[in-house]
Amino acid sequence: MRREQRRLPEALDLLDQAIAGCEGDPAAMARFLLQKEHVFEVMGDIPAALAALAQAEPFVTVSGDPHLLFIHRFNEAKNLGHLQRFDEAAVRLPEIGELALQQGAEMESLRVRWLAARIAAGQGRKAEAVFEPRAGMPFISRI
């Protein structure tokens, strides 16, 4: 709630308390760290957001939750894009696309198409950067 109220330092404090109290539960740790990443992104502190993702990675992996893995990988590529590191983000697209297909949820597919268009634009591939929300994900096989 603090994040939505834009009381971001308080949100980070509460997330730190939650992380300290989850007693090593990997899924809980992953969720709280992913939320912390989002707060840092909203604050515009992209290096801290990437650090939170790095901290979350082992917990995401151990949790075995495919949705958490999708969120982690997607947010990592998105934040690399924020830093103009489009080539590094592009390398991650095939895995992110596969994770979206495994989820079977249209929203994840839509998010991946948006990310692919954003990365293409950042790499100067303007024709590929045209975002078509109803299009498929042919980029998965091209990358």
Side-chain angles (χ1 to χ4, degrees):
M1 182 163 72
R2 296 294 184 253
R3 183 182 71 205
E4 298 307 316
Q5 295 171 332
R6 298 295 190 244
R7 294 164 60 182
L8 303 175
E10 288 177 58
L12 290 174
D13 289 342
L14 290 170
L15 286 166
D16 285 339
Q17 290 175 34
I19 289 166
C22 67
E23 300 174 3
D25 175 6
M29 290 287 289
R31 284 185 185 92
F32 290 133
L33 287 165
L34 290 173
Q35 289 176 25
K36 192 171 180 178
E37 174 273 332
H38 184 72
V39 172
F40 283 127
E41 183 184 7
V42 170
M43 292 172 75
D45 189 347
I46 304 306
L50 285 169
L53 288 170
Q55 189 179 0
E57 186 165 14
F59 298 108
V60 168
T61 302
V62 170
S63 77
D65 185 325
H67 185 66
L68 290 177
L69 183 59
F70 170 78
I71 292 168
H72 181 274
R73 299 298 194 260
F74 179 89
N75 289 350
E76 184 178 49
K78 180 178 61 166
N79 282 308
L80 288 170
H82 289 322
L83 295 175
Q84 309 289 311
R85 293 164 54 184
F86 296 109
D87 291 341
E88 291 176 66
V91 170
R92 291 161 169 79
L93 273 177
E95 179 188 15
I96 295 166
E98 289 300 321
L99 290 167
L101 289 173
Q102 291 170 11
Q103 297 291 308
E106 188 164 333
M107 182 55 79
E108 274 77 1
S109 296
L110 181 66
R111 293 174 74 196
V112 174
R113 290 193 303 270
W114 169 84
L115 180 62
R118 188 171 188 281
I119 290 169
Q123 293 179 317
R125 297 180 288 125
K126 298 198 186 302
E128 294 176 48
V130 176
F131 176 63
E132 297 180 27
R134 299 206 190 289
M137 290 193 295
F139 64 85
I140 293 172
S141 62
R142 288 196 326 250
I143 295 178

